Amino acid sequence: MKLQRKNRLRATALGALAVSGALVLTACGSDDNTGGASGTGEKTTAASNVDCGKAKGQLRASGSSAQKNAMDLWVKNYMAACSGVEINYNSSSSGEGIVAFNQGTVGFAGSDSALKPEEVADSKKMCKTGQGINLPMVGGPVAIGFKLEGVDKLTLDAPTLAKIFDSKIKKWNDPAIAKLNDGVELPDKAIQAFHRSEDSGTTQNLGKYLGAAAPDDWKYEAEKKWPAPGGQAASNSSGIAAQVKQVDGAIGYFELSYAKSQNITTVAIETGGSAPVEATSENASKAIAAAKIKGTGKDLALDLDYTTKAEGAYPLVLVTYEVVCDSGNKPETLDTVKSFLSYAASDDGQKILTDAGYAPIPAEINAKVRETIGSLS
């Protein structure tokens, strides 16, 4: 009994540690989950209706920093419900997560971009009887954050953003910016554009947006590695957000959760609709709702429309995937992977995302995610 009590205390402590570094702890339900774990491994109402099933031991995962704040919330709630289970998610980058997954060092990876064909081929070495697949789990806007003394509202369009991040527009009072911001007093100040230093799915999604919405001004392939000359590099979304928050004249890109948690002002995007569109979870949901599944078999990779002009749809969005084997998952972690991802894809798991700056996956697509998780072997 003493040992069981010690394990429960250790699980609770680990749950607290898992969220101590989270940038956002205000999501719906994150402060109300006070029920205790049952310790039986059965369905419990501790944090939400989590079905712990046969989950046990430690599950290691890594990848996308875009979903860090969502993952912190999920881990907190899940570990509060499932005694004796430890989830360790290393928020590194999408590229590092996929490498770790294909090397077999993690049970699943988080990635802001679907697996490339060569990455799927590599996954077959680890997924002995199958291959890596993409499960869309987190959606949301990629916010363009800025700090400019005296300016608290800013509108930009895709061509102007492309020129800023390509070092073609270098001053905040450039005519192209002024044209989009009539009546705003823009200073004669140098633009300091920040980008990710490591391979990043967020970078790739920004590239997809700029390539689709401003093809004449952004000539680079949409890759995880930052392609353009100039600018300044920072590590992870949190690193870019920290730089933008403190450097006057700065602009950078990161998930909305980082902007909300650090009170960073974000850009409204001119899409050609009736009015510029703010980066909000609701507006991102309008864009993600039009996504189509392009994956085959159990793969649920999505095709996003970055050129949408739908009213109120924020076009610069990303969907973060959890990458798993369709079959051939590690037997020692399979039950925990299925249990944890089932919670993340559940109604409860998705509901807590909005207040944290994310957008839940559309219900029709999410139903297929749940079905696929249940079939993993």
Side-chain angles (χ1 to χ4, degrees):
M1 292 297 291
K2 289 183 178 179
L3 180 58
Q4 289 178 340
R5 182 174 183 273
K6 183 177 179 181
N7 284 339
R8 284 197 297 269
L9 289 172
R10 179 172 179 268
T12 302
L14 286 167
L17 286 171
V19 297
S20 65
L23 296 173
V24 177
L25 292 177
T26 58
C28 175
S30 62
D31 294 325
D32 300 324
N33 302 316
T34 55
S38 67
T40 64
E42 299 299 326
K43 184 176 290 187
T44 172
T45 57
S48 58
N49 291 322
V50 178
D51 187 350
C52 302
K54 298 179 181 178
K56 61 183 182 300
Q58 183 184 75
L59 173 61
R60 292 169 53 85
S62 70
S64 165
S65 64
Q67 68 173 10
K68 177 189 184 302
N69 296 330
M71 191 61 68
D72 284 340
L73 292 170
W74 287 335
V75 167
K76 172 195 173 185
N77 288 356
Y78 184 83
M79 289 177 57
C82 299
S83 175
V85 182
E86 180 182 335
I87 311 292
N88 289 329
Y89 182 80
N90 177 29
S91 172
S92 50
S93 69
S94 298
E96 292 174 72
I98 290 172
V99 169
F101 176 76
N102 283 342
Q103 289 178 343
T105 61
V106 295
F108 69 88
S111 177
D112 306 336
S113 292
L115 294 167
K116 295 180 180 180
E118 58 268 28
E119 292 170 336
V120 173
D122 286 343
S123 73
K124 293 179 181 180
K125 302 172 187 175
M126 199 276 289
C127 306
K128 300 298 185 182
T129 60
Q131 64 181 42
I133 57 172
N134 305 281
L135 301 177
M137 201 71 70
V138 183
V142 177
I144 304 296
F146 72 97
K147 181 176 183 180
L148 191 58
E149 187 175 347
V151 178
D152 57 11
K153 187 175 183 180
L154 189 70
T155 296
L156 297 172
D157 59 12
T160 307
L161 280 168
K163 292 171 187 173
I164 288 172
F165 283 112
D166 199 19
S167 301
K168 300 290 176 60
I169 291 179
K170 300 182 179 182
K171 288 291 189 73
W172 278 109
N173 62 347
D174 187 277
I177 301 177
K179 184 178 179 180
L180 292 165
N181 294 275
D182 187 36
V184 178
E185 189 173 342
L186 297 165
D188 182 16
K189 184 183 291 292
I191 294 173
Q192 299 194 54
F194 286 88
H195 59 263
R196 291 280 288 271
S197 58
E198 73 286 353
D199 287 3
S200 160
T202 312
T203 293
Q204 188 170 35
N205 279 277
L206 174 64
K208 288 178 180 178
Y209 164 70
L210 295 176
D216 293 336
D217 299 294
W218 190 258
K219 301 293 187 180
Y220 306 101
E221 292 294 324
E223 300 290 349
K224 292 186 176 73
K225 183 177 180 63
W226 181 255
Q232 301 182 57
S235 178
N236 298 324
S237 293
S238 58
I240 294 183
Q243 292 296 324
V244 171
K245 184 175 177 62
Q246 68 185 9
V247 177
D248 189 30
I251 188 170
Y253 58 95
F254 33 77
E255 296 65 45
L256 181 62
S257 60
Y258 291 92
K260 292 183 69 171
S261 65
Q262 298 197 45
N263 198 29
I264 296 172
T265 308
T266 61
V267 168
I269 293 184
E270 175 61 66
T271 65
S274 62
V277 185
E278 300 284 350
T280 68
S281 296
E282 180 183 4
N283 291 345
S285 293
K286 293 176 182 177
I288 295 172
K292 306 295 183 184
I293 295 175
K294 64 179 180 180
T296 58
K298 293 183 179 181
D299 184 81
L300 300 178
L302 300 180
D303 187 16
L304 299 170
D305 180 8
Y306 297 100
T307 62
T308 180
K309 292 180 175 59
E311 200 65 30
Y314 184 81
L316 180 44
V317 295
L318 63 75
V319 169
T320 289
Y321 301 94
E322 310 310 337
V323 177
V324 295
C325 300
D326 55 1
S327 65
N329 290 279
K330 294 181 179 179
E332 62 270 26
T333 58
L334 176 60
D335 289 332
T336 307
V337 167
K338 293 175 71 172
S339 172
F340 177 70
L341 294 185
S342 291
Y343 164 63
S346 70
D347 288 340
D348 288 337
Q350 291 290 300
K351 281 178 183 176
I352 66 174
L353 297 179
T354 302
D355 286 347
Y358 296 101
I361 297 300
E364 183 179 350
I365 296 172
N366 197 40
K368 295 181 180 179
V369 172
R370 297 179 192 178
E371 180 182 351
T372 301
I373 292 171
S375 71
L376 299 179
S377 59

